[in-house]
Amino acid sequence: MNTSTYDALSTIVGSERVSDKQEILTEYSGKMTQQAPSLVVWPQSVEDVVAIVEYANQNAIALIPVSSGLPRLRGDSAPKVDDAVIVNLSKMKRIIRVDTKNKVAMIEAGVTYDELLQETEKHGLRPLMPFLPKASKSVVAGCLDREPVTMPRFHWDSSDPLLCTETVFGSGDLFRTGAAAGPGTIDEQLASGQAQKNPMGPSQFDPFRILQGSQGTMGIVTWATVKCEILPEVQKISLVGSDKLDDFIKFMYAALKRNLPDDLFILNRMSLASALKKSRKEIDALRGELPEWILVMSVSGHGILASDELEYRFAEINDIANETGVSLNNKVGGVSSNDVQKLLSCPSEEPYWKLRFNGGCQEIFFLTTLDKTPNFYSTITKIAKETDYPSNEIGVYIQPTIRGSNAHCAFDIYYNNEDSSEIERAKTLYLKGSDALLKSGAYFSRPYGPFTKSVYEHTSPDIISAMKKVKGIFDPNNVLNPGSLCFTEVSK
Amino acid sequence: MTLDEMERMMDSCVRCSKCKFLPGIMVRSKEFSSICPSIDRFDFHAYSGGGRVIMANALHKGRLEFTEEMLDILYKCTNCGACEVVCKFFYELEPNEIIHELKVAAVEAGVGPMPNHKKFIEQVESVHNPYGEPTDKRSSWLTDDIELDENSDTIFFAGCTASYRREEIASASVRVLNAAKEGFKMLGPDEYCCGSPVYRVGDKKRALEIMKDNVEKFKAQGVKRIITSCSGCYNMLKVEYPRFVETDFEVVHTSQLMESLISEGRLKLTNEVPLKVTYHDPCHLGRMAEPYEPWEGELVEVLTLVFMADPPKPIRRGANGVYDAPRNVLKQIPGIELVEMERIREYAYCCGAGAGVKAQYPDFALWTSGKRIDEAESTGASALVSTCPFCSTNFTDQLKEREEPMEFYDLTELVLKSIGGSE
Amino acid sequence: MLDDTVYDALKQIVGSDNISKEPAILDGYAWQWCNEVENTLKGKDPSRFGQRPDAVLLPCSTEEVQAIVELCNSHDVKYKALSTGQGAWAGVTTERAIQIDLRRMNRILKIDPDNMYAVIEPYVTNAQLQSELIKYGLIHNAQGGGPQTSPLASHTSFVGPSFTSAHTGYSGRNLLGAEWIVPTGEVLQVGSFDHTGEWFTGDGPGFSLRGVFRGAYGAYGGLGVFTKCAIRLFTLPLPKGWEWKMTGTIPDHEWNLPEYWKMYVLNFPDWEKFEDAFYEVNDHNVSMMAMASSAEGLASMFTNTKNGALDAIFAGLLMHTKRYFVVMLTAHTEREFNYRTKLIQAIMVKHDGEELIEKGIVTPMPMHYAEGLRNSLGNHAFRFTSCFQSTHGGLDTIAMSVKICQINLPIKQKYIEKRVIGDDRGEGMWITGYEGGHLAHAEIPTVYDPASPESCRGYAYYQDECNKADIEQALGIPFFIVGDDVHDYYGPNVMNYQNWLRKIKAAFDPNEASDPGHYVSAKK
């Protein structure tokens, strides 16, 4: 890396916020590529970010925006080119505003789930969260990743809970997306009763949808507004156990259709045990007690008739359970509702739950519909067998999204990250498994890691061409996370 | 009203496309959601009620001149009135009236009506029926066993179609009247065309002459009441005539008469007619059969730009057509099971024949009747029933094309069966 | 004018029955509601006749549409597609332009009742789709344009509020995948269909192309053609075996109102209590409908004729209504109904409200519930003069919606005094909440006389002033901020978004074939 880049960035953010130290750089290396960046820079403001991006454009420097901390499992923030600079927004930690009436929080990119949970609780709100994000996970990053949330009834559009953003496009242009764009400054908008809720627009395009899922290839988001919900006064958690995944499907569809529960998702015993216990020994012991599949559901009541609401919701769900042959319990195996409550609406305790079993985790996840998930599970276990991977060590998480119109299906492949043969086996299962899943109808809407290439080989060339056109608009010089997604080259 | 007087209405068209469909709340399936055969068949917006309103407006404003294709578009409309019923749910427009007025304008401009219309108008003028059939054969269907009362002030007006094409309807009608001992006489060869085919294609001048001549004839014959089984004639005599000429007679459709005869006990429906039927509302007996009530008053601006008529102006929406009488008759025939189509009453889908369409565009007329029969079949009925010889002709023509056709009956035929008079 | 070779080439694509250059046909597409407003603002006569297309085509398939688009690109012809086409934005805006009428593409391709989405072609209407969905106990967001308008148009290309938005949301957020013919003619099956043959999502792989082709508002026909789309569905609480029965006769029909359906008109003493109550009711997401209007709006909503509405107004409805909103509760079970009823009543009491139906002030008929579902309830506003349109349209919070109504009042009163728009005391409004009250928008329905040039002009200038107020008072972007001139005027107040739109247009429509009139052109 050119020392002038170091100097230039130091001028922008201050020398204490730029690093080329090896031990720091390796934190951002790809697990599978082992390619490290050359610098890390920690901006403190949007002005910093604008200056950094402008500099990158003028000097053909690759930038990779990051706002979460370790561990990094997916490789989206690992450099794919030489001499990349990590733009780490994790120190931008202001919670700018929490608005109870409008159920929204405005947060900078570095705010984590835990920080947001604590602040929103004071205002009688709760954010929409993915399942057990890592402690260092940035909320904004989670939203930009289109990470599925555990409460499908509040998930109205695939983009939720992301609302408006302040962004610096790859071109260096500052932009606010959604209603935040104006007319008016943010303060003027607040004075007219707005709260930067409408994520759409401005006008006849949705730049926020271009940022989401782009893995940092279109813009760097410095703040976002995120949807929150009223914190319920009362809540009840139920568990359902079964050795057959199919047993849950009818119940889930019926409950989702009626928008009755809050949290609603499925874990297999491996995932639940890993989430609840810290050591491999404990995880093994617990999963021995659990049925193969566990459905987790919460129901709540809030506001003026909180108890009535909870009572009505639960009674309706109970009727549905009876009609669909499902039995709602407070306990399944050795796990109680109270145990599970601790997993909801909070980030993972250390160590990150996906690393507890074996130290390493390779994720496979895709979108499908709920009814197809059993078949996909069969597919991955078949491939696991072919690769000599014990299928009962695959963690499974199935999350209905957009109120049940589709479902996020995730398979976690645990491996010993100090054993090269296990790393290799995990990689093989990841690639072969992903391929088999893709070919049998899994939709990798958020492709990460080496399999990304296969996803785009499977994608219509016209779609890729369109994506490249968009890239050419918002990041014409390809400074942002080059080599990611399908942007191996850019057309202008 | 002339097109000029209609300009305000034409300027108010929202081009909302409601005129192509049933009102939203009436739609029960996608298949039977449309209401305009013309747009259904030809798809360009100009073929809809609203599309023709725009066409009329464009002509009136000098943007268009009459062309062959424009006339084609104009005359591929049966003036069934469905567009107007739906439009009036929300707006103060009269698309059907405007379309008719455009036809009048076409004739006055010397470009309309269409060649086959001109031909049948000539035939109406020469032999008093559009079919060109001999005048003296008009009553050939009338057999000697039918009792007539030459002293009656009631006539049975068979109409041209029943007289020359659907004699079974005329015959059944008079037999029913005889069975109920309802006295009537006939004009015989002096029964001339009511003028409907002439009027509907826009030849207003000739239609007026026919109306005047007929009214004078009725007067001369002392006619106080006219019974007819033809919906087209019913509509002309009851609804259109009073708009243009002074009339002094009552007009009754056979369906209405049979309903009262049954309730008075003068028709005894004794025989079973085991049939599952569905009923088609003829446009001219249904939504078009609401009389034009003359209105004189003023429009008062009650709120800025919002006017109320003072006294209140009757709005012809098609609500007061003859819908219940035929159904009541059917329901009282033992063995009949009546199942309804989706598009009924004021929202009935036209049979496709009216306003000269059958004469000039027979394929289109047949296409439309096919659509309607598809709907009839979808009810599971084995027979379609209606109360108009012209609908009857178009339906029976279509049924001939089908491999396993449902049956078709005029209401009078079923009543005749039930009273035991059809042997 | 189109040269014969181009016309003949187009004829080859669709067949001679499905193309026309007959002026009588073309004028059917030149005429559009609100052309009188656009014409006025362009300094022309307020006529509803806009630009006459050079030809109209009726393709029957994606392949035909693609071929037409490609031909236009290679022969410097502009095109604009429409389906049911209600409004100025459906028509062409330049010379040497053709109209692609998608009427023949009218199939419902799929209804997936478990995964709650339907896949439709452009000319499926709201009423048609709803009538088929009801068999599954489902409903979709049928936009306020009315039951005869196209949900594909709303979801891919236009706006998206409806009377059931409290339950069914906003069209732009209900879109899953779409088949998008980009302006140069490539066919993109955006989202999961490209990989899986199923339409359950419109995003990825990676970012979402949904972000390119529509925003808060769609491209209004200016960025290619949509030939299919998948839209989300919602539950419609109906008893088992219930069938839709509409009897009686026009205009007063009778409907078999399902059990556990009930309407409320909750009337509050002032804006503050209204706002608080509206937030609370919306947050609980218990109603099929939660929307606010004026006294005049209420009068027209629950009557079936102009005279009926006027009678209601003159009978003193204005005295009884302060700040109200209509709630249409629906419920799947008695238990659900009881809870929801109790909740609504508790919220009403909490905010010092009263219920106008119970008090006999208004009496909705069962058919009005049905009209709410089918979205012809809003069409009642046409009864006054056969014409209205809405100003504003900003979408963000309930609080902003209230502000729009408050700020609009003196502006509207000014034009009422000029007697160019209908007199609703300036109070006319329509606010609806979405997604548990997370979003809301406000528009101001305004009656004007389409047959009066003075009134058309008056409405146009009033709309213009409302747009200016939205800038000055930071009230979001109104509905009709489209087209080069208007974007250039509005954009500098909104981060110069128009520059990005132009880049998108330049990248995707290098030949400027897709009519830019209600979008942007790239060349400015």
Side-chain angles (χ1 to χ4, degrees):
Chain A
M1 166 65 52
N2 196 323
T3 49
S4 68
T5 303
Y6 186 102
D7 294 337
L9 294 177
S10 297
T11 307
I12 295 169
V13 299
S15 56
E16 70 284 8
R17 293 186 182 281
V18 185
S19 177
D20 58 358
K21 293 193 169 55
Q22 204 53 39
E23 62 271 24
I24 289 177
L25 299 178
T26 51
E27 283 181 15
Y28 303 90
S29 299
K31 284 188 330 300
M32 299 205 181
T33 65
Q34 301 300 314
Q35 183 154 23
S38 292
L39 286 174
V40 181
V41 58
W42 288 269
Q44 280 282 74
S45 67
V46 68
E47 291 78 16
D48 286 352
V49 175
V50 169
I52 292 166
V53 175
E54 281 176 353
Y55 178 80
N57 272 275
Q58 287 150 15
N59 295 277
I61 305 289
L63 301 177
I64 301 173
V66 160
S67 29
S68 305
L70 295 173
R72 300 189 206 288
L73 300 191
R74 293 178 186 167
D76 51 315
S77 51
K80 288 97 188 161
V81 298
D82 292 332
D83 289 332
V85 173
I86 302 292
V87 180
N88 190 326
L89 298 111
S90 63
K91 293 192 197 306
M92 291 176 69
K93 279 193 167 298
R94 284 189 309 144
I95 297 176
I96 301 165
R97 199 179 82 245
V98 179
D99 178 347
T100 308
K101 186 166 87 162
N102 287 301
K103 303 188 285 189
V104 66
M106 180 186 269
I107 55 176
E108 285 190 330
V111 173
T112 62
Y113 281 100
D114 210 27
E115 288 160 353
L116 182 59
L117 278 160
Q118 287 178 39
E119 189 61 30
T120 49
E121 191 178 3
K122 295 176 199 166
H123 291 82
L125 293 177
R126 56 175 174 171
L128 298 178
M129 281 187 55
F131 178 66
L132 277 188
K134 60 188 180 186
S136 63
K137 183 75 181 181
S138 136
V139 177
V140 171
C143 293
L144 288 172
D145 288 344
R146 285 201 310 263
E147 209 62 49
V149 297
T150 58
M151 295 192 278
R153 89 171 162 98
F154 298 119
H155 196 228
W156 282 83
D157 191 355
S158 57
S159 54
D160 278 351
L162 182 66
L163 301 174
C164 302
T165 72
E166 177 184 74
T167 300
V168 181
F169 289 131
S171 56
D173 292 294
L174 175 66
F175 200 78
R176 294 194 299 270
T177 66
T185 62
I186 297 295
D187 286 337
E188 285 166 346
Q189 292 167 24
L190 294 173
S192 72
Q194 291 191 59
Q196 295 77 47
K197 289 302 295 288
N198 177 10
M200 298 180 284
S203 188
Q204 299 172 288
F205 75 132
D206 270 347
F208 87 113
R209 292 193 203 276
I210 294 168
L211 294 165
Q212 258 189 330
S214 69
Q215 295 179 19
T217 58
M218 297 291 175
I220 301 180
V221 174
T222 50
W223 61 248
T225 47
V226 294
K227 248 190 188 183
C228 297
E229 296 296 336
I230 307 282
L231 200 55
E233 281 89 331
V234 286
Q235 189 185 50
K236 187 176 168 68
I237 290 161
S238 298
L239 305 172
V240 183
S242 174
D243 286 328
K244 277 172 60 207
L245 183 52
D246 298 71
D247 286 349
F248 299 146
I249 306 284
K250 258 204 173 91
F251 167 75
M252 290 178 88
Y253 273 132
L256 286 162
K257 194 174 267 195
R258 296 279 310 278
N259 297 317
L260 290 165
D262 296 352
D263 297 281
L264 185 70
F265 55 88
I266 299 169
L267 297 170
N268 72 345
R269 55 164 70 114
M270 184 70 204
S271 287
L272 182 56
S274 298
L276 285 169
K277 298 298 180 188
K278 297 275 176 77
S279 73
R280 179 164 181 146
K281 192 173 167 194
E282 289 172 316
I283 293 169
D284 275 336
L286 179 53
R287 64 187 179 111
E289 295 171 23
L290 289 169
E292 188 162 355
W293 300 101
I294 304 97
L295 181 147
V296 176
M297 183 184 72
S298 75
V299 187
S300 72
H302 75 284
I304 197 169
L305 293 179
S307 302
D308 292 57
E309 181 183 1
L310 175 60
E311 192 185 319
Y312 133 73
R313 283 186 187 277
F314 191 79
E316 295 287 315
I317 290 173
N318 209 32
D319 287 347
I320 292 171
N322 290 336
E323 285 160 20
T324 52
V326 150
S327 161
L328 306 175
N329 301 298
N330 296 328
K331 202 165 178 163
V332 155
V335 173
S336 72
S337 297
N338 281 343
D339 297 327
V340 170
Q341 173 141 39
K342 297 184 186 115
L343 300 179
L344 301 177
S345 299
C346 67
S348 171
E349 289 175 1
E350 296 293 352
Y352 179 48
W353 69 280
K354 294 194 183 192
L355 304 182
R356 294 171 187 171
F357 183 71
N358 216 348
C361 176
Q362 176 59 57
E363 296 169 310
I364 298 176
F365 51 79
F366 53 90
L367 283 182
T368 180
T369 50
L370 200 58
D371 49 338
K372 294 187 166 62
T373 51
N375 284 345
F376 289 124
Y377 180 68
S378 300
T379 301
I380 196 66
T381 51
K382 176 169 167 284
I383 305 295
K385 198 170 171 189
E386 288 170 15
T387 48
D388 283 327
Y389 185 96
S391 58
N392 65 351
E393 288 184 6
I394 297 175
V396 183
Y397 165 54
I398 296 170
Q399 178 63 65
T401 51
I402 323 183
R403 293 178 140 211
S405 280
N406 54 44
H408 163 90
C409 185
F411 302 130
D412 295 328
I413 303 166
Y414 298 122
Y415 64 92
N416 183 344
N417 59 346
E418 285 166 12
D419 181 329
S420 56
S421 67
E422 281 210 22
I423 294 171
E424 196 52 39
R425 186 181 63 174
K427 187 176 173 183
T428 304
L429 176 54
Y430 158 71
L431 289 170
K432 277 187 80 174
S434 299
D435 191 59
L437 292 164
L438 176 74
K439 288 187 169 116
S440 51
Y443 180 52
F444 287 82
S445 64
R446 308 189 286 138
Y448 291 94
F451 192 66
T452 303
K453 185 161 173 282
S454 302
V455 173
Y456 286 108
E457 280 165 3
H458 202 73
T459 302
S460 138
D462 288 334
I463 297 232
I464 293 178
S465 167
M467 291 177 71
K468 288 180 176 176
K469 287 184 172 116
V470 178
K471 176 72 164 168
I473 291 168
F474 293 97
D475 185 23
N477 295 320
N478 196 18
V479 299
L480 293 183
N481 211 352
S484 296
L485 298 180
C486 58
F487 305 129
T488 48
E489 54 181 88
V490 170
S491 63
K492 294 217 178 126
Chain B
M1 286 170 89
T2 61
L3 282 182
D4 192 52
E5 288 162 329
M6 289 172 165
E7 188 171 20
R8 187 187 170 70
M9 275 203 286
M10 297 194 288
D11 281 345
S12 302
C13 174
V14 173
R15 200 199 183 278
C16 67
S17 291
K18 283 185 169 64
C19 50
K20 301 171 183 168
F21 303 102
L22 293 174
I25 55 173
M26 302 306 300
V27 174
R28 283 165 47 207
S29 72
K30 180 170 178 290
E31 193 181 356
F32 304 124
S33 57
S34 62
I35 204 162
C36 172
S38 188
I39 185 72
D40 281 351
R41 173 68 181 84
F42 298 107
D43 290 315
F44 290 109
H45 186 71
Y47 285 92
S48 65
R52 291 193 184 89
V53 166
I54 294 169
M55 203 162 75
N57 204 6
L59 179 88
H60 178 65
K61 287 176 159 63
R63 287 175 62 98
L64 294 177
E65 286 172 359
F66 279 117
T67 61
E68 261 187 52
E69 189 168 348
M70 188 175 162
L71 289 170
D72 227 27
I73 296 166
L74 176 60
Y75 280 102
K76 278 172 174 164
C77 168
T78 57
N79 277 107
C80 72
C83 53
E84 187 160 313
V85 169
V86 183
C87 188
K88 279 171 166 168
F89 221 125
F90 299 101
Y91 310 102
E92 288 180 317
L93 267 82
E94 296 183 313
N96 196 47
E97 290 295 302
I98 293 168
I99 295 167
H100 182 255
E101 201 52 41
L102 187 57
K103 289 182 180 177
V104 169
V107 173
E108 283 172 3
V111 296
M114 303 305 275
N116 288 359
H117 303 154
K118 288 180 179 161
K119 189 169 159 201
F120 72 53
I121 291 173
E122 275 168 27
Q123 282 164 179
V124 167
E125 288 199 309
S126 59
V127 288
H128 308 298
N129 70 84
Y131 300 109
E133 302 286 359
T135 314
D136 57 357
K137 301 281 186 230
R138 192 173 179 101
S139 302
S140 305
W141 57 271
L142 190 64
T143 48
D144 294 335
D145 60 319
I146 300 298
E147 278 181 41
L148 300 174
D149 178 0
E150 295 304 330
N151 294 320
S152 176
D153 59 10
T154 294
I155 57 169
F156 174 72
F157 191 96
C160 305
T161 305
S163 299
Y164 292 108
R165 293 287 181 271
R166 300 255 71 83
E167 297 92 332
E168 73 278 7
I169 296 176
S171 175
S173 300
V174 296
R175 284 174 199 291
V176 167
L177 293 177
N178 274 180
K181 300 200 185 333
E182 181 74 17
F184 67 96
K185 65 185 178 193
M186 302 234 7
L187 297 177
D190 286 337
E191 181 190 286
Y192 291 175
C193 179
C194 66
S196 173
V198 180
Y199 177 72
R200 303 276 173 221
V201 299
D203 194 340
K204 194 168 172 183
K205 187 161 163 243
R206 287 199 174 84
L208 272 173
E209 283 165 16
I210 292 168
M211 291 186 213
K212 283 182 190 144
D213 287 347
N214 275 332
V215 166
E216 273 174 31
K217 186 187 310 181
F218 297 149
K219 202 169 178 181
Q221 299 258 4
V223 174
K224 288 291 178 199
R225 186 171 70 140
I226 301 175
I227 300 169
T228 181
S229 52
C230 176
S231 296
C233 300
Y234 173 83
N235 195 281
M236 274 306 283
L237 295 166
K238 182 167 178 96
V239 176
E240 302 297 347
Y241 274 43
R243 290 174 79 179
F244 304 105
V245 295
E246 268 210 43
T247 62
D248 188 24
F249 48 81
E250 186 194 346
V251 186
V252 178
H253 189 268
T254 42
S255 60
Q256 295 171 304
L257 186 61
M258 289 190 291
E259 185 192 27
S260 34
L261 292 173
I262 293 166
S263 75
E264 288 165 21
R266 291 166 61 190
L267 274 178
K268 305 252 189 275
L269 303 168
T270 46
N271 292 2
E272 279 243 336
V273 183
L275 211 50
K276 188 171 180 184
V277 307
T278 191
Y279 175 71
H280 165 81
D281 294 279
C283 305
H284 287 147
L285 188 64
R287 57 179 160 253
M288 300 286 286
E290 232 178 82
Y292 289 90
E293 290 179 40
W295 174 81
E296 264 182 43
E298 49 174 336
L299 294 176
V300 178
E301 196 173 13
V302 295
L303 290 173
T304 310
L305 305 180
V306 181
F307 293 83
M308 262 176 116
D310 182 32
K313 185 179 179 190
I315 301 176
R316 256 181 115 235
R317 286 197 180 89
N320 299 318
V322 180
Y323 305 116
D324 293 318
R327 288 175 168 83
N328 290 340
V329 170
L330 279 170
K331 285 174 192 167
Q332 292 178 84
I333 300 176
I336 291 274
E337 182 193 349
L338 173 62
V339 288
E340 296 275 20
M341 291 184 273
E342 290 182 20
R343 296 174 291 189
I344 60 172
R345 306 175 67 97
E346 66 266 37
Y347 305 115
Y349 196 75
C350 181
C351 76
V357 170
K358 182 80 171 162
Q360 185 64 32
Y361 308 104
D363 288 344
F364 172 40
L366 217 54
W367 180 93
T368 304
S369 65
K371 292 290 171 200
R372 189 55 164 164
I373 286 173
D374 287 345
E375 188 176 2
E377 284 176 353
S378 77
T379 64
S382 51
L384 175 61
V385 181
S386 195
T387 41
C388 173
F390 210 51
C391 297
S392 157
T393 302
N394 207 26
F395 285 135
T396 46
D397 284 349
Q398 167 63 223
L399 288 166
K400 281 181 208 150
E401 312 274 312
R402 298 202 167 202
E403 272 189 20
E404 289 176 16
M406 60 193 316
E407 296 168 80
F408 180 88
Y409 295 100
D410 187 85
L411 184 64
T412 50
E413 295 177 278
L414 292 180
V415 169
L416 188 65
K417 276 183 192 289
S418 187
I419 62 175
S422 56
E423 295 82 32
Chain C
M1 281 302 288
L2 279 185
D3 25 306
D4 287 345
T5 41
V6 175
Y7 187 83
D8 288 342
L10 290 168
K11 196 193 298 187
Q12 287 293 312
I13 296 170
V14 294
S16 55
D17 280 349
N18 299 308
I19 184 171
S20 178
K21 55 184 176 185
E22 165 67 35
I25 298 258
L26 303 179
D27 265 358
Y29 297 87
W31 175 275
Q32 284 288 4
W33 174 46
C34 299
N35 268 339
E36 69 278 18
V37 178
E38 292 198 353
N39 279 332
T40 300
L41 294 173
K42 287 176 185 156
K44 299 183 194 171
D45 276 340
S47 167
R48 277 196 175 162
F49 281 111
Q51 178 69 39
R52 188 188 268 180
D54 282 3
V56 179
L57 283 75
L58 291 161
C60 71
S61 66
T62 299
E63 293 68 34
E64 284 190 2
V65 177
Q66 180 180 36
I68 293 166
V69 166
E70 285 171 346
L71 197 93
C72 287
N73 270 272
S74 57
H75 287 82
D76 192 30
V77 176
K78 288 197 179 2
Y79 63 86
K80 183 179 270 196
L82 90 172
S83 49
T84 53
Q86 178 177 281
W89 35 89
V92 302
T93 64
T94 72
E95 293 183 350
R96 200 173 165 78
I98 61 166
Q99 187 97 76
I100 303 176
D101 183 341
L102 298 167
R103 190 181 148 87
R104 294 172 68 210
M105 296 171 70
N106 63 2
R107 295 175 298 166
I108 298 172
L109 296 171
K110 179 173 183 160
I111 295 171
D112 187 333
D114 285 331
N115 297 301
M116 306 272 278
Y117 69 87
V119 185
I120 53 176
E121 286 189 327
Y123 213 96
V124 173
T125 69
N126 281 318
Q128 288 172 348
L129 182 57
Q130 282 210 9
S131 70
E132 297 298 328
L133 291 175
I134 210 164
K135 297 164 191 172
Y136 301 93
L138 295 172
I139 192 176
H140 75 286
N141 189 49
Q143 78 277 17
Q148 80 290 357
T149 57
S150 159
L152 178 142
S154 178
H155 285 71
T156 62
S157 304
F158 200 56
V159 186
S162 79
F163 272 70
T164 58
S165 278
H167 182 60
T168 58
Y170 183 86
S171 297
R173 284 177 55 82
N174 289 345
L175 184 66
L176 298 169
E179 184 172 82
W180 175 32
I181 301 180
V182 302
T184 41
E186 292 84 5
V187 180
L188 268 52
Q189 278 137 353
V190 172
S192 54
F193 189 88
D194 184 52
H195 278 210
T196 70
E198 303 281 355
W199 292 96
F200 53 80
T201 182
D203 308 311
F207 68 89
S208 182
L209 286 172
R210 283 169 69 192
V212 176
F213 65 66
R214 81 155 285 163
Y217 309 127
Y220 290 25
L223 200 66
V225 185
F226 295 91
T227 45
K228 292 181 182 71
C229 73
I231 66 175
R232 291 220 295 116
L233 305 176
F234 304 83
T235 179
L236 182 63
L238 294 170
K240 256 199 179 68
W242 182 93
E243 278 183 15
W244 185 287
K245 286 189 180 78
M246 193 65 70
T247 54
T249 196
I250 190 176
D252 299 315
H253 286 286
E254 286 116 34
W255 191 54
N256 54 330
L257 185 65
E259 206 179 4
Y260 310 135
W261 286 41
K262 189 163 162 59
M263 240 192 262
Y264 295 89
V265 178
L266 305 177
N267 194 34
F268 297 92
D270 52 46
W271 273 122
E272 195 183 323
K273 292 198 190 310
F274 161 90
E275 189 177 306
D276 288 343
F278 200 61
Y279 265 108
E280 199 161 352
V281 166
N282 272 278
D283 167 66
H284 282 280
N285 196 216
V286 294
S287 55
M288 180 66 70
M289 191 193 299
M291 51 117 235
S293 185
S294 62
E296 289 82 356
L298 192 62
S300 79
M301 232 187 287
F302 296 141
T303 53
N304 294 332
T305 60
K306 178 171 76 169
N307 285 5
L310 290 168
D311 286 345
I313 291 169
F314 293 128
L317 187 60
L318 276 63
M319 289 192 308
H320 295 284
T321 56
K322 293 168 213 138
R323 300 295 166 203
Y324 78 88
F325 59 92
V326 179
V327 168
M328 186 164 95
L329 274 196
T330 59
H332 297 81
T333 64
E334 186 181 356
R335 179 194 291 128
E336 186 165 72
F337 181 70
N338 290 342
Y339 161 70
R340 289 178 169 178
T341 304
K342 191 175 175 187
L343 179 74
I344 293 297
Q345 285 169 349
I347 295 174
M348 179 184 78
V349 167
K350 179 178 167 185
H351 299 285
D352 298 329
E354 57 176 353
E355 209 282 289
L356 296 184
I357 298 174
E358 199 179 41
K359 293 191 111 171
I361 307 296
V362 283
T363 308
M365 296 161 63
M367 70 176 269
H368 299 132
Y369 289 71
E371 285 201 277
L373 280 192
R374 293 273 161 103
N375 271 278
S376 55
L377 209 59
N379 296 163
H380 290 202
F382 280 110
R383 288 190 177 130
F384 293 109
T385 62
S386 295
C387 184
F388 84 96
Q389 187 43 282
S390 285
T391 60
H392 300 281
L395 192 155
D396 197 60
T397 61
I398 291 168
M400 184 186 86
S401 297
V402 168
K403 200 83 176 201
I404 287 175
C405 298
Q406 292 168 333
I407 280 167
N408 186 72
L409 185 83
I411 303 174
K412 196 170 191 188
Q413 283 173 339
K414 199 167 72 178
Y415 286 85
I416 290 169
E417 269 164 51
K418 295 185 196 191
R419 301 185 63 79
V420 291
I421 58 175
D423 184 1
D424 57 4
R425 304 160 296 131
E427 297 276 357
M429 64 179 197
W430 186 47
I431 300 175
T432 186
Y434 307 84
E435 301 186 16
H438 275 287
L439 296 171
H441 94 283
E443 58 182 272
I444 309 293
T446 304
V447 162
Y448 64 100
D449 182 353
S452 155
E454 196 193 354
S455 179
C456 292
R457 285 193 194 98
Y459 173 79
Y461 301 142
Y462 159 65
Q463 182 180 283
D464 198 46
E465 196 164 329
C466 290
N467 293 346
K468 290 184 167 75
D470 287 335
I471 294 175
E472 288 155 14
Q473 309 270 357
L475 292 170
I477 303 182
F479 291 139
F480 305 116
I481 305 301
V482 291
D484 277 325
D485 292 340
V486 186
H487 277 313
D488 284 337
Y489 163 66
Y490 222 83
N493 303 287
V494 192
M495 310 226 61
N496 284 305
Y497 66 80
Q498 78 282 11
N499 295 340
W500 298 103
L501 283 181
R502 292 213 163 92
K503 288 182 204 229
I504 290 172
K505 181 69 164 170
F508 283 87
D509 192 10
N511 300 318
E512 284 268 322
S514 198
D515 190 315
H518 298 97
Y519 184 58
V520 274
S521 69
K523 294 204 170 94
K524 276 227 170 177

